Amino acid sequence: MSIFVVYVFLVFFLIVFLLFLVRLFLHRTALIYVLRKWGEWIDDRVHVHQHLKVPEFNENCQQNQFYQKVSVYLNSLASVEDSDFTNLFSGKKSNDIVLCLDDDQTIQDTFLGARVSWINEIERNHQFLTRSFVLKIKKKDKRRILKPYLQHIHTVSDDIEQRRRELKLHINTDCNWRSLPFEHPANFDSIALDPDLKNKVKFDLETFIKSKQYYHKLGRAWKRSYLLYGPSGTGKSSFIAAMANFLSYDVYNVNLSQVAEDSHLNMILLQTTSKSLIVVEDLDRYICEKSTAVTSSGLMNFMDGILGSSFCDGRIMVFTMNSKEGIDSAVLRPGRIDVHIYFPMCDFNSFKSLAGSYLGVKEHKLFPQVEEIFQSGATMSPAEIGELMLVNRSSPSRALKSVITALQSNGRSSSGGGGGKLGHRLSESAVSSPAPSSTAEDAGGTAWKDTVVPKEFRKLYGLLRLKSCKKPGSLDHDHEMIER
């Protein structure tokens, strides 16, 4: 009996080993592709298919816009690499290589579990060439997937073209905008800020741009607003540039001092495009110093009025402040500003991130000394430390020594109570990060607890309600709420 069991085990092991060798052989040769082609050929003969043509030009010899969208979509598919012939072209950037489907080639795609194929068809009629994409789809799948599949192509191609186009920076002059290329190189990787915070912001942005239908289902305007606050030189403007580059959004930089009255502010809002960043920097200065002709009601209507809500269409508003101290809570209320992000002075972790970016240094013998100085309470803004590293970038040791000297000098002036520059920044930082309230109030003074926020909505964004006073550089409060 035991010998029989051994024989059975040996036979089973031999069969498994042979199957492994066959699979390895097939994947190392062209036979696997031959078998796949046979399988597809048999599948095509078993099922009834329908062919839908997307010509390059319509009956009036005008360009078919959907043809362009299909072209962008198909050339973005990973399966384009499996085509027998694929064209390689240089992209806009010197390092980019773009793959394009060759003439009369077939490409496979899968949507909602159904397999479809596209043929890049070329017809030669005398001296003319007519191009078209032919969609081959099983009749049994057509009713189920065709409409959402075509909508999927629209959405994906629009997103690709949005990311490819050149970004613009728009600056207002009275009631009009002047435009110039937006070429700021900042990205989230280059910013010295808590990595966990940056990941949460990226997730929040990605979720927002995919949530148009969800917002409309809730009866909410499809818009999002951020407040970036903290001392000067802590990276707020660079963070805005990183958001624009991450989303491939144009930037509309609103200079409130150039706005003559409330109606002009509404006019320039109407002239902004969908899916753009609308930025108001140093909002606290305009409010506290009253250095603009725009009234408080005009400003709040601009942030969350019926006009802005009617024409938002994917827009993201970003406001910056040095401090929230003394700002009317009506300006900061949920709905006008959804997410508060505090930008602190540089700490040791931010310093190490800067050293890696500016000097290419991950570890250094001077790091313990720098860490000790930070722990003693001395600090500087990331901009100041970055400038010292920039001018001494040829020698990391010299750069770190210059940072140590500057930190020690600022630490002494701060502890001496001389009221120096650093002391001002530290005191401003201290008052600009109060713990956010866990409740909001409507016009009648009724407290709205966190429970009024739908659980699905909080889960969608996944933002933790962290208090900035506990962790500098954290999301202050996701102020999402639904008005009564």
Side-chain angles (χ1 to χ4, degrees):
M1 186 65 180
S2 61
I3 296 177
F4 176 75
V5 173
V6 171
Y7 281 149
V8 171
F9 177 77
L10 290 175
V11 171
F12 176 77
F13 177 79
L14 183 61
I15 292 174
V16 172
F17 182 71
L18 289 175
L19 289 175
F20 173 77
L21 290 179
V22 170
R23 183 177 181 276
L24 182 64
F25 175 74
L26 290 176
H27 279 274
R28 291 297 181 94
T29 64
L31 291 178
I32 188 66
Y33 298 102
V34 174
L35 292 176
R36 187 180 298 168
K37 291 288 185 182
W38 286 353
E40 292 174 359
W41 184 85
I42 295 173
D43 185 68
D44 289 343
R45 297 304 179 274
V46 171
H47 294 95
V48 179
H49 290 78
Q50 185 168 352
H51 295 78
L52 304 171
K53 179 177 286 189
V54 183
E56 184 177 11
F57 298 96
N58 61 21
E59 64 276 6
N60 299 322
C61 296
Q62 296 175 328
Q63 192 173 48
N64 182 4
Q65 296 299 318
F66 188 60
Y67 176 89
Q68 298 299 323
K69 292 183 181 295
V70 172
S71 177
V72 171
Y73 173 77
L74 294 181
N75 289 321
S76 71
L77 295 177
S79 54
V80 73
E81 300 178 6
D82 297 331
S83 176
D84 294 335
F85 293 94
T86 305
N87 298 315
L88 302 178
F89 297 101
S90 297
K92 291 184 177 181
K93 298 180 181 179
S94 58
N95 299 337
D96 287 350
I97 301 296
V98 179
L99 279 67
C100 293
L101 195 65
D102 198 24
D103 297 346
D104 296 317
Q105 293 298 304
T106 302
I107 185 172
Q108 305 291 337
D109 192 18
T110 303
F111 184 74
L112 296 179
R115 183 172 63 86
V116 301
S117 61
W118 289 90
I119 303 173
N120 187 15
E121 189 175 88
I122 307 296
E123 295 180 1
R124 293 168 176 82
N125 184 12
H126 301 294
Q127 297 180 346
F128 299 97
L129 290 177
T130 58
R131 300 175 180 271
S132 58
F133 289 109
V134 179
L135 172 62
K136 184 179 179 182
I137 184 173
K138 296 175 185 177
K139 276 199 170 183
K140 70 182 185 68
D141 295 327
K142 177 186 172 184
R143 181 170 295 181
R144 178 174 66 91
I145 74 162
L146 182 59
K147 186 174 180 180
Y149 181 55
L150 297 180
Q151 184 60 47
H152 171 71
I153 292 174
H154 266 286
T155 302
V156 173
S157 62
D158 287 346
D159 182 62
I160 292 172
E161 290 178 341
Q162 172 82 7
R163 295 181 182 276
R164 284 180 179 174
R165 69 185 184 86
E166 293 184 354
L167 303 184
K168 296 289 186 181
L169 172 63
H170 306 270
I171 303 171
N172 66 298
T173 56
D174 196 16
C175 290
N176 299 304
W177 292 101
R178 293 184 58 188
S179 303
L180 60 154
F182 181 78
E183 298 176 345
H184 200 295
N187 57 65
F188 283 117
D189 293 332
S190 65
I191 294 175
L193 205 62
D194 179 56
D196 187 48
L197 168 67
K198 290 190 286 187
N199 290 333
K200 288 175 183 174
V201 173
K202 288 194 290 185
F203 176 78
D204 186 61
L205 292 171
E206 287 177 332
T207 306
F208 168 75
I209 62 177
K210 298 175 183 177
S211 301
K212 180 177 181 179
Q213 298 301 324
Y214 185 78
Y215 272 75
H216 289 177
K217 179 182 177 181
L218 294 176
R220 294 175 62 104
W222 185 37
K223 67 185 184 69
R224 194 90 171 129
S225 55
Y226 293 81
L227 173 65
L228 316 181
Y229 69 103
S232 299
T234 51
K236 298 185 291 294
S237 296
S238 296
F239 197 83
I240 294 172
M243 293 173 71
N245 288 324
F246 179 73
L247 296 170
S248 295
Y249 272 19
D250 284 349
V251 177
Y252 288 85
N253 191 35
V254 180
N255 184 353
L256 292 179
S257 63
Q258 294 291 321
V259 180
E261 56 186 47
D262 293 350
S263 61
H264 290 187
L265 189 60
N266 293 330
M267 185 64 66
I268 63 173
L269 179 61
L270 288 174
Q271 295 172 9
T272 60
T273 60
S274 62
K275 295 185 177 181
S276 58
L277 282 182
I278 302 174
V279 179
V280 180
E281 296 190 276
D282 299 323
L283 181 61
D284 53 338
R285 178 172 61 86
Y286 290 115
I287 294 176
C288 297
E289 299 179 6
K290 302 187 184 301
S291 56
T292 175
V294 178
T295 65
S296 298
S297 61
L299 177 61
M300 288 188 282
N301 286 333
F302 169 76
M303 297 172 71
D304 189 39
I306 186 64
L307 184 66
S309 298
S310 301
F311 293 90
C312 57
D313 195 25
R315 290 172 175 83
I316 295 176
M317 286 189 171
V318 184
F319 306 93
T320 71
M321 295 182 183
N322 285 345
S323 171
K324 295 193 292 183
E325 185 74 12
I327 303 300
D328 188 350
S329 60
V331 176
L332 305 176
R333 74 160 175 82
R336 290 204 171 101
I337 296 179
D338 302 311
V339 181
H340 295 206
I341 306 176
Y342 174 60
F343 285 72
M345 300 291 279
C346 194
D347 59 11
F348 182 64
N349 289 329
S350 300
F351 163 81
K352 288 197 297 183
S353 177
L354 292 171
S357 299
Y358 281 83
L359 306 175
V361 174
K362 300 298 183 183
E363 292 294 337
H364 196 278
K365 61 182 181 180
L366 293 176
F367 275 12
Q369 185 177 352
V370 177
E371 183 176 15
E372 184 179 350
I373 297 174
F374 274 115
Q375 290 176 349
S376 69
T379 188
M380 295 168 61
S381 71
E384 292 170 324
I385 292 179
E387 182 62 24
L388 290 173
M389 292 180 176
L390 180 66
V391 298
N392 295 286
R393 61 187 179 277
S394 59
S395 173
S397 295
R398 185 170 66 247
L400 295 180
K401 289 177 181 177
S402 66
V403 171
I404 290 172
T405 302
L407 282 171
Q408 290 173 335
S409 176
N410 284 340
R412 286 192 296 268
S413 63
S414 177
S415 62
K421 184 178 180 181
L422 179 64
H424 170 70
R425 289 188 175 179
L426 287 175
S427 63
E428 186 178 50
S429 171
V431 299
S432 62
S433 56
S437 173
S438 59
T439 64
E441 291 187 355
D442 61 15
T446 304
W448 293 70
K449 303 294 183 182
D450 293 341
T451 53
V452 303
V453 186
K455 292 182 179 178
E456 296 82 5
F457 200 74
R458 294 202 300 269
K459 183 177 180 181
L460 175 68
Y461 286 96
L463 297 177
L464 300 178
R465 298 178 176 272
L466 301 178
K467 299 184 183 295
S468 60
C469 61
K470 292 183 178 179
K471 184 178 181 182
S474 60
L475 281 176
D476 196 28
H477 188 5
D478 187 16
H479 286 286
E480 296 284 7
M481 63 179 292
I482 296 181
E483 298 290 349
R484 178 178 292 175

